[in-house]
Amino acid sequence: MKYFKDLVKVKNENGWYKYEGDMLIHAGAIVSEGARVGEEVRISEGAIVGEGAIVGAKAIVGAKAIVGVGVIVGVGARVGEEAIVGDGVRIGKGAIVGAKARVVTVDYKYHTYVSNPDKGLVTVGCETHTVDEWHDL
């Protein structure tokens, strides 16, 4: 798990930047310098990853998706195209946030999630955890 600002670009092919650890981050994506990303992560065109966010190994952030400040996206999880994951939300290991879904929390202790079922499906595969318990992302 490395901070985005510390990653080394390996090459650029067809608008995708390849980084060490087999990470693919599209040239049109915006990833905050303080975000941390795991190996084999894929962040698509137009996606935004906020300050302090953690994107676990093998996770995928779809085109034009927004991952807010301090969000944790678990290992192998997927955030669909144009989905919005609000500040402080935790998406569990292997969970799927469907395209155009909106996921927010109003109480970090109980993880209240809200989505628009007409626009996308939200599956959250996690229990309540502290940030320290997520160290293995």
Side-chain angles (χ1 to χ4, degrees), residues 40-112:
E40 299 181 46
V41 163
R42 182 175 174 156
I43 301 175
S44 300
E45 181 177 11
I48 299 171
V49 178
E51 191 66 29
I54 299 172
V55 181
K58 299 182 181 180
I60 298 172
V61 178
K64 300 179 185 176
I66 298 172
V67 174
V69 173
V71 167
I72 298 174
V73 178
V75 174
R78 295 176 182 227
V79 177
E81 292 183 7
E82 298 182 29
I84 297 174
V85 181
D87 296 352
V89 169
R90 297 174 186 169
I91 303 298
K93 179 179 179 179
I96 298 170
V97 176
K100 299 185 180 183
R102 307 299 182 249
V103 184
V104 298
T105 182
V106 294
D107 185 335
Y108 294 114
K109 183 177 178 183
Y110 296 106
H111 301 285
T112 303

Side-chain angles (χ1 to χ4, degrees), residues 8-12 16-20 22-24:
V8 177
K9 287 182 189 175
V10 178
K11 61 183 173 180
N12 178 357
W16 289 89
Y17 287 111
K18 183 172 181 169
Y19 291 84
E20 57 189 305
D22 290 328
M23 294 173 221
L24 289 174

